[in-house]
Amino acid sequence: MDKSEYLEQAADIDELDEKILKLITKNARIPFLEVARECGVSGAAIHQRVQRLLNIGVVSGSEFIVNPQKLGYNTCAYMGIHLEKAKFHKQVVVALRKIPEVIECHYTTGQYAIFIKIQTKTNKHLKRLIDEDLQEIEGIARTETFMSLEMDFKRQVPIQ
C-alpha cells in the first residue's frame, strides 16, 4: 500500500458549494428554493449541487438529532480503553458496537487504543454497563472513565 491510499483527498468545491453548505448545515430542513434565493441560482441548480455533494461524500444524508436528556439519558461519559494487545482492536470494536449505549467509538493514538462515548440514564446504569458489559469484553486490559458534567458546545467543522 502506498502513502496516497491513506490520505483522504479534500473535495473540489467552489464558493457556491460553500454557501450552500453553510445554509444547509445550519438548517437541514431548509427548502431548496430558499437556498436558491439566498444563492441567486435556480432550485434545480441547488438540487444538482446538493446531489453532487452527497455523491462525492462531502455531506451524508440528513438526520434529526435526539436530545438524550429528553429521553432520560442523563449521564454522559467518555472511556479510554487499553487493549491487552493491539491485535484485539477489531474484535473489541465488534463487541462495543453491540452495546447501544456506546454512541461513539474512536481508534486513537496516545494513551488509549480506543476512546468511546457512552450515554446512560443514570450513574448506576453506567456502573452496571461497565461491570457487566464493558469489562467482560475479551481483549480489554483496563479502562478509564471520565464523566461529562455539561456539554458547553458542539459544532460542525467550519466551511470556508
Side-chain angles (χ1 to χ4, degrees):
M1 220 179 248
D2 70 35
K3 283 191 228 177
S4 66
E5 292 181 49
Y6 292 108
L7 299 175
E8 181 78 25
Q9 294 295 321
D12 184 24
I13 62 172
D14 61 18
E15 286 182 37
L16 178 57
D17 291 328
E18 287 179 6
K19 191 167 187 176
I20 293 167
L21 285 169
K22 285 178 184 175
L23 291 166
I24 66 174
T25 55
K26 284 181 188 165
N27 177 8
R29 298 178 69 177
I30 188 172
F32 282 176
L33 287 177
E34 191 174 326
V35 176
R37 276 192 294 276
E38 291 279 332
C39 295
V41 297
S42 71
I46 296 301
H47 181 72
Q48 289 173 344
R49 289 290 187 122
V50 170
Q51 191 58 52
R52 180 180 156 276
L53 292 169
L54 283 162
N55 291 342
I56 64 174
V58 172
V59 292
S60 57
S62 60
E63 63 184 330
F64 289 100
I65 307 300
V66 173
N67 179 336
Q69 290 78 24
K70 296 289 185 184
L71 296 178
Y73 287 86
N74 294 305
T75 299
C76 176
Y78 296 87
M79 178 182 283
I81 299 174
H82 298 272
L83 299 177
E84 290 173 11
K85 293 183 178 176
K87 72 178 185 177
F88 287 115
H89 173 258
K90 285 184 181 171
Q91 78 181 47
V92 168
V93 170
V94 167
L96 290 169
R97 194 179 293 273
K98 293 176 183 173
I99 303 170
E101 294 89 347
V102 176
I103 60 172
E104 286 185 29
C105 179
H106 301 266
Y107 187 35
T108 60
T109 62
Q111 187 173 356
Y112 311 107
I114 298 172
F115 202 75
I116 62 174
K117 181 177 180 180
I118 306 165
Q119 195 80 48
T120 59
K121 293 193 175 210
T122 63
N123 290 354
K124 195 174 266 189
H125 179 187
L126 176 63
K127 182 183 180 320
R128 188 178 73 249
L129 189 85
I130 292 169
D131 292 346
E132 296 175 12
D133 296 323
L134 293 162
Q135 295 292 349
E136 296 299 316
I137 297 173
E138 185 181 351
I140 292 181
R142 67 185 193 284
T143 63
E144 188 173 353
T145 305
F146 307 88
M147 301 289 290
S148 172
L149 301 176
E150 180 178 57
M151 178 174 59
D152 288 318
F153 66 88
K154 179 179 179 180
R155 61 180 163 212
Q156 303 247 9
V157 297
I159 299 162
Q160 302 185 355

